[in-house]
Amino acid sequence: MKTIVVYTSQTGFTRRYAGWLAEKTGADLKDLSEAKKMDFGGYDAIVYGGWACAGNISKLSWFKGNLAKWEGKKLAVFCVGGSPMESPDIQPALHKLFTEEEQKKVGIFYCPGGFDYEKMSAPSRMMMKMFIKALKAKKDKTPDDEEMIRMISGSYDISDPKYIEPIISYLAGEVQ
Ligand SMILES: Cc1cc2nc3c(=O)[nH]c(=O)nc-3n(C[C@H](O)[C@H](O)[C@H](O)COP(=O)(O)O)c2cc1C
């Protein structure tokens, strides 16, 4: 099965997961800017990885915009975010980004990445600063809120190659 992994990454976590996936599956690996110029006709499977941004997946519109063209191919999306794998909000939030029809055609996965404030763009850093400020100002903060403030106030890395295993199984046709 000829597979390609396309990714968008700002600070490197999604690129790292895409690289692990390509290495493990023997897939081609392309940054979205290069992939946009390509013809995907020769691929049996297309995987797109984008980072979580305010409840969305960066550049998911590119992937969705091509779905009709990719009828019959094995398709998957993985989202890399700062939330830990155990976070209960992840799966419902991710599935909300896809229609029921799209969910039948696309395998949807999450991989925890982290935060790297040194590599982050100035606008992203500013958005995070505002988000943390709003969270700190919240009345009746839950323990989860407190934990989130503590976590996202500095850089951290919770990425691990073990999180690509479900994507590999899906591509191999074992589970969805
Ligand atoms: C502006 C902004 C919004 C973000 N929103 C989310 C989010 O909604 N959920 C989440 O889990 N992580 C969120 N993150 C964290 C990133 O998805 C995380 O740092 C990810 O590992 C970045 O991937 P990259 O290194 O490939 O750019 C956000 C980060 C920024 C800068």
Side-chain angles (χ1 to χ4, degrees), residues 10-11 51 53 115-133 152-155:
Q10 181 180 207
T11 65
W51 56 282
C53 185
F115 273 90
D116 188 335
Y117 283 100
E118 279 189 20
K119 291 188 191 153
M120 207 179 272
S121 70
S124 285
R125 238 189 334 254
M126 183 64 77
M127 274 173 80
M128 288 311 301
K129 213 171 160 181
M130 281 159 54
F131 180 69
I132 294 168
K133 199 173 162 192
I152 66 177
S153 292
S155 296

Side-chain angles (χ1 to χ4, degrees), residues 7-17 49-56 58 79-84 87 90 110-117 119-121 123-128 131 148 152 156:
Y7 66 88
T8 308
S9 182
Q10 181 180 207
T11 65
F13 292 102
T14 314
R15 186 185 310 120
R16 188 184 303 161
Y17 274 111
W51 56 282
C53 185
N56 216 318
S58 55
C79 171
V80 177
S83 309
S87 170
I90 290 172
Y110 180 76
C111 302
F115 273 90
D116 188 335
Y117 283 100
K119 291 188 191 153
M120 207 179 272
S121 70
S124 285
R125 238 189 334 254
M126 183 64 77
M127 274 173 80
M128 288 311 301
F131 180 69
M148 186 182 298
I152 66 177
Y156 61 88

Side-chain angles (χ1 to χ4, degrees), residues 2-39:
K2 199 162 158 50
T3 305
I4 185 167
V5 181
V6 179
Y7 66 88
T8 308
S9 182
Q10 181 180 207
T11 65
F13 292 102
T14 314
R15 186 185 310 120
R16 188 184 303 161
Y17 274 111
W20 283 333
L21 200 54
E23 198 179 63
K24 202 78 190 272
T25 59
D28 290 346
L29 177 65
K30 294 282 173 211
D31 183 280
L32 179 59
S33 55
E34 288 177 80
K36 276 181 175 168
K37 301 170 205 151
M38 289 176 55
D39 173 14

